[in-house]
Amino acid sequence: MNIREIYEEQEHRTLSKYAAFSDMSKGRNDPEEESDVRTVYQRDRDRVIHSKSFRRLKHKTQVFLAPYGDHYRTRLTHTLEVSQIARTIAKAVRCNEELTEAIALAHDIGHTPFGHVGERTLSALTGKLFAHNIHGVRVVEKLEKGGRGLNLTWEVRDGILNHKTNLTPSTLEGDIVRVSDKIAYISHDIDDGIRAGVLTEEGLPKACTDIMGHSTRDRIDFMIRDTIKQSQDSPRVRMSDEGWQALLDLRKYMFENLYTNELVKNEESKAAEIIKLLYEYFMDKTHLLPAEFLAMMEAGEDKQTVVCDYIAGMTDNYAVEKFQEIYIPHSWSVY
């Protein structure tokens, strides 16, 4: 009995006509024999979960750089929250949950250490835009598995590339992840901001909280329900005009009061300097790069690109350790 074919048949019976059906995928860059147990999107999800890049997200900054306390979000916990929200919406609007989950789990896989400060610093150093969505596609196509990549389907790669606010994914499932990303980070960043004492519930814009709710739980619930209601039997995912405007207004408030807050960002200049010094060091001493990156250069990859690949793959912890190893004198003693 071919279980995959049973799943694919069930999709055609139960999913929306706007959903991405597993047996209609545009496929992989390198064609593979189909599994008899898992659909193509199930396999993609599993490949992401088992990848090194996914595991490294647990030690990459979300908002608070090197926070004290175990309850602040990391890039990994953010990713898991996006996945949970996205699957809830996908199920309710009868979309492909496995594709949605695969995109959600991989959407931030291209992030640098120290959050967006890493992106900005590499962009400034190279004179070329370094964007985590574009780099995420490079990670899954080229950098994972020693240069072989994960060979994900076109639909997952499209979702990674187009999950940012101003972009439009080609699938409804990718659109769900794009909106779920906003719902997640607006909600949990407020929660972390309140935990850190930078924000207060009472200080949030009343015009927004009167619409969305006066707690993190209520706001998430409102945005999910609003999205589901507005997106039934639709080729695109959307919130109501009132709900979307409230989200945008709250996002603007967060940029003004949290993301650019001096108390939150006072360590960013140090993080940027670490990235800068590591970049300059390895541009000058490329022979000290790990073997897999040297192999990329020998195969014709540009030096600057390879150095950025190496640094972008670092966790916050590893970047600090590598900086200390290179630039901080080691204690020694004679026995």
Side-chain angles (χ1 to χ4, degrees), residues 2 9 17 28 35 40 45 88 133 146 156 161 171 187-188 197 200-201 215 220 231 249 255-256 260 309 312 334:
N2 191 306
E9 182 183 345
K17 64 181 179 179
R28 309 179 188 279
S35 166
V40 289
R45 175 200 59 200
T88 298
N133 58 318
V156 175
L161 181 64
T171 65
S187 301
H188 64 51
T200 64
E201 181 65 43
S215 70
I220 292 175
S231 305
D249 290 344
F255 272 97
E256 294 172 349
T260 58
D309 287 339
V334 177

Side-chain angles (χ1 to χ4, degrees), residues 211-212 218-227 239 243:
I211 294 171
M212 304 172 76
D218 288 345
R219 285 187 286 271
I220 292 175
D221 185 66
F222 167 81
M223 287 187 279
I224 290 175
R225 288 177 179 274
D226 189 51
T227 302
M239 295 174 66

Side-chain angles (χ1 to χ4, degrees), residues 312-323:
M314 295 179 178
T315 63
D316 296 13
N317 298 344
Y318 185 78
V320 171
E321 290 171 6
K322 184 58 65 174
F323 169 80

